[in-house]
Amino acid sequence: MTEKRLIAVFVLFTSFAFLIELNMVHINISDRYHTKARNQQTRQYIIDDDRAVITDCNSDNITNTVTGYKTLVTAYDDDLQQVFNALTEKEKADFETNIKNRKNFMAEITYPIENRVVYEVTQRYSDFNIAQHLTGYTDSEGNGVTGMEKVFDSILKGGKTVRFIEAQVNGYGEITSMENNEKTDNEYGVPIQLSLTIDNTIQRLCEGIAKEYIPDGSIVVMESDTGKIKAMVSTPFYTANNVAAALHMENSPLVNKALQAFEPGSVIKPLWAAVLLENGYSKNKIYNCTGTIEINDHQYHCNNNKAHGEIDMEQALVVSCNCYFVNASVKNKAFSYSQIGSALQFGSNIYLTENYCTSAGYFPTNNELDNLGQLASVSFGQGKLLLTPIHIAAYMNIFANEGRYVYPQVAQGIYNAESGNRIINLYSFDEKQVISPETAQKVKSMLQSVVQDGAMGRAAPQQLSAGGKTGTAQTGRYNEKGKEILTAWFCGFYPYENPEYTICITMYNGGESTYTAAPVFKKICDSLYYLK
């Protein structure tokens, strides 16, 4: 064979081998792509949040009150610009990355998009959610952080019947088929709801009043005979949709002021009047108030050093005479504040449901009360005494219940969201007698006089009558102008005959309670009357 023929055969053979190799590569690549295309995977895209709804005592929603919209987005959609325009601001931040990565995702949109499959959903929170401090909020992972969301986190998770899309997706991320499904993933096998003792109508009523008159404080409305909290309001308000903004606001909007302890001031005096009566002190005993009283070389004053002259116990409550109670407490030490304080859980947390309680506040020890100066201060709600609005409402409620202390509570039960049947009972009525019915009735009658004749009549409802007491507490703290910050209180029950509600108003930096807290009490009572 000649050299030229050998070269020609070699070239021919090499070309043939190359073509075979090239064909094999093409076959391998094609097989890989076809395999990828055939490689179907099942994906789930959640339409609804799986967290159970929180409702009020009438099964009206507290959470999930606003309708929103969702749509399933893929990189292959031909209306991506329309989708982007409709996205919430939160969704827009991740949109580009998801599309570049050819990720399919369920997106929240602010309005329905024409000619596109859109799902109506309820949003967990809105900017108008009520009882936000009590319900609390969840984090970005859907875990409860505060309030009822935290306390009942494990129960609320998976408590809802969830709608989801089950889709077949090929290796390119393309959806080849899909169907809508539902599941209820909890131990009960049915959708559930957490029902609180709150009444949405009363809550809204009180939030409206607080928004107008209480920039920093709280309102608590308790059903007198059951202890069920019907409204728990704290100001300033915040929205769970923008918790970060609240971190930079004044007056700590994330703090539930209804659970925080403050100096009570004169709102405590009806209790000490009851203790005096229980220990044989006559309500008719006359004391001559000169405006000041000296104990252990220290002068204690009535408001503005005003001399009230000769007064009995009822008049002392009406005019809120400090000197009367200092004198009666220091000079009649046959009784123990500690005993009644313990019975009313002063200095202890009040648990409103499992793992949810007030601040303990502070109640002076026996050794501290042996100091006449401390005893004198505590007798008109100052000194080391610190109590929460819940403590004050629960104590005042004994005069509405013939001396019985009814434990306050906020949770009613876990219910089947479809049938309404109760699954778990969370409310359990509990009470104890702390003062005699006779003493309770005497103080109750005096508190009616306080509302009618005290605080310049500013607390007196237009319809029916009520009983209650003001309190203006010194805090020992001062504003930028050097003026002392005062905590204004009013706590009372309404109506006077057969009380239905015990109401506590607290206004931090609220000035004189006669002019601030007392009128708020009147507004709430009048609103409750017309609500009925």
Side-chain angles (χ1 to χ4, degrees):
M1 189 176 292
T2 65
E3 182 177 350
K4 287 184 177 181
R5 293 183 67 182
L6 285 172
I7 291 172
V9 170
F10 176 76
V11 169
L12 182 62
F13 177 79
T14 302
S15 299
F16 180 71
F18 176 74
L19 289 173
I20 292 173
E21 180 68 23
L22 185 63
N23 189 55
M24 290 297 294
V25 169
H26 173 75
I27 291 172
N28 287 338
I29 292 173
S30 180
D31 283 347
R32 285 202 299 272
Y33 276 100
H34 282 296
T35 299
K36 187 173 183 180
R38 291 194 305 270
N39 187 20
Q40 299 286 329
Q41 293 182 339
T42 301
R43 301 278 175 83
Q44 287 186 357
Y45 303 99
I46 303 297
I47 300 171
D48 284 320
D49 184 277
D50 65 345
R51 204 164 177 86
V53 173
I54 300 176
T55 77
D56 78 342
C57 60
N58 301 308
S59 292
D60 293 330
N61 285 14
I62 296 177
T63 62
N64 303 75
T65 58
V66 175
T67 299
Y69 306 96
K70 284 186 177 181
T71 188
L72 182 60
V73 183
T74 79
Y76 303 96
D77 292 339
D78 56 8
D79 60 348
L80 289 179
Q81 185 61 57
Q82 278 186 296
V83 173
F84 181 81
N85 292 339
L87 291 177
T88 64
E89 292 303 315
K90 180 182 177 182
E91 294 282 8
K92 285 180 179 179
D94 300 322
F95 182 80
E96 185 177 353
T97 300
N98 289 334
I99 295 301
K100 282 183 177 179
N101 293 333
R102 298 185 179 278
K103 180 181 177 182
N104 305 324
F105 59 99
M106 190 66 68
E108 293 182 17
I109 53 178
T110 55
Y111 54 83
I113 302 172
E114 191 174 353
N115 299 321
R116 186 177 182 88
V117 177
V118 172
Y119 303 93
E120 280 196 3
V121 297
T122 55
Q123 298 174 354
R124 186 66 176 177
Y125 310 114
S126 77
D127 291 343
F128 308 101
N129 256 78
I130 64 169
Q132 190 68 74
H133 288 88
L134 176 58
T135 55
Y137 58 89
T138 59
D139 62 19
S140 58
E141 302 299 320
N143 301 307
V145 177
T146 63
M148 299 296 99
E149 295 280 26
K150 179 179 180 180
V151 172
F152 295 101
D153 187 50
S154 60
I155 291 177
L156 293 171
K157 284 179 177 176
K160 188 177 178 182
T161 295
V162 179
R163 292 180 297 160
F164 63 96
I165 294 172
E166 192 164 75
Q168 296 296 316
V169 181
N170 66 23
Y172 299 115
E174 296 173 310
I175 294 175
T176 58
S177 66
M178 63 181 185
E179 63 179 11
N180 293 341
N181 282 312
E182 293 183 350
K183 65 179 178 181
T184 304
D185 189 18
N186 63 50
E187 60 183 295
Y188 313 110
V190 294
I192 61 170
Q193 65 188 39
L194 167 64
S195 292
L196 306 181
T197 62
I198 294 295
D199 184 301
N200 278 359
T201 304
I202 298 176
Q203 180 74 23
R204 286 193 184 95
L205 180 157
C206 291
E207 288 193 10
I209 292 172
K211 188 172 184 179
E212 187 171 358
Y213 297 102
I214 307 178
D216 187 7
S218 67
I219 298 173
V220 173
V221 178
M222 184 169 72
E223 201 168 59
S224 299
D225 59 347
T226 67
K228 293 180 178 181
I229 303 296
K230 292 299 170 183
M232 181 186 289
V233 180
S234 180
T235 59
F237 298 108
Y238 76 96
T239 170
N241 288 331
N242 194 357
V243 174
L247 296 171
H248 307 289
M249 293 170 59
E250 294 182 354
N251 300 330
S252 306
L254 295 179
V255 174
N256 188 344
K257 307 293 172 54
L259 307 180
Q260 299 302 301
F262 303 89
E263 299 84 357
S266 296
V267 77
I268 200 67
K269 288 174 181 174
L271 179 61
W272 303 148
V275 173
L276 285 165
L277 293 173
E278 288 281 90
N279 287 272
Y281 196 90
S282 173
K283 71 183 185 69
N284 298 318
K285 186 176 181 178
I286 300 299
Y287 171 74
N288 185 25
C289 171
T290 62
T292 64
I293 184 172
E294 184 175 311
I295 303 294
N296 286 0
D297 298 324
H298 183 80
Q299 293 286 332
Y300 295 89
H301 304 265
C302 282
N303 189 33
N304 297 321
N305 296 326
K306 182 176 180 179
H308 297 114
E310 293 187 346
I311 54 175
D312 61 12
M313 183 180 286
E314 181 173 311
Q315 292 167 322
L317 286 172
V318 170
V319 299
S320 202
C321 179
N322 291 342
C323 295
Y324 177 95
F325 285 95
V326 171
N327 176 73
S329 300
V330 170
K331 296 185 178 179
N332 296 273
K333 296 185 294 179
F335 55 88
S336 171
Y337 277 0
S338 299
Q339 185 176 357
I340 191 71
S342 176
L344 297 171
Q345 302 194 87
F346 290 178
S348 302
N349 308 101
I350 295 180
Y351 278 83
L352 303 175
T353 190
E354 183 180 1
N355 298 321
Y356 187 76
C357 63
T358 68
S359 162
Y362 189 80
F363 191 76
T365 65
N366 284 332
N367 286 339
E368 288 170 327
L369 290 174
D370 282 340
N371 182 301
L372 294 185
Q374 186 62 226
L375 180 62
S377 296
V378 170
S379 73
F380 59 98
Q382 296 289 167
K384 292 187 175 183
L385 184 61
L386 295 171
L387 297 171
T388 74
I390 297 290
H391 282 91
I392 295 294
Y395 120 66
M396 185 65 73
N397 196 45
I398 66 176
F399 304 119
N401 281 288
E402 299 182 328
R404 298 186 304 275
Y405 180 90
V406 180
Y407 287 83
Q409 297 179 54
V410 296
Q412 192 155 281
I414 306 297
Y415 291 81
N416 183 323
E418 294 178 341
S419 69
N421 294 332
R422 187 173 63 194
I423 298 172
I424 299 176
N425 180 40
L426 297 173
Y427 168 77
S428 178
F429 176 77
D430 195 10
E431 67 175 2
K432 59 185 175 182
Q433 196 79 36
V434 294
I435 60 173
S436 69
E438 295 76 19
T439 294
Q441 180 56 46
K442 288 177 183 177
V443 177
K444 180 184 178 185
S445 178
M446 295 182 208
L447 293 177
Q448 184 183 33
S449 297
V450 171
V451 170
Q452 291 175 339
D453 305 325
M456 302 170 67
R458 292 172 179 266
Q462 288 183 335
Q463 304 291 337
L464 308 179
S465 59
K469 183 71 183 79
T470 54
T472 304
Q474 296 175 279
T475 65
R477 294 177 286 277
Y478 296 83
N479 61 23
E480 63 278 0
K481 296 180 179 179
K483 186 176 181 180
E484 186 172 18
I485 293 171
L486 303 174
T487 302
W489 296 80
F490 196 97
C491 188
F493 42 86
Y494 177 80
Y496 176 78
E497 300 290 346
N498 302 315
E500 294 183 50
Y501 304 106
T502 299
I503 304 159
C504 185
I505 297 108
T506 314
M507 302 172 68
Y508 187 71
N509 199 15
E512 290 287 342
S513 57
T514 293
Y515 302 98
T516 56
V520 172
F521 177 79
K522 175 187 183 303
K523 287 181 181 295
I524 294 172
C525 292
D526 289 341
S527 298
L528 289 171
Y529 176 83
Y530 290 111
L531 184 64
K532 289 283 185 179

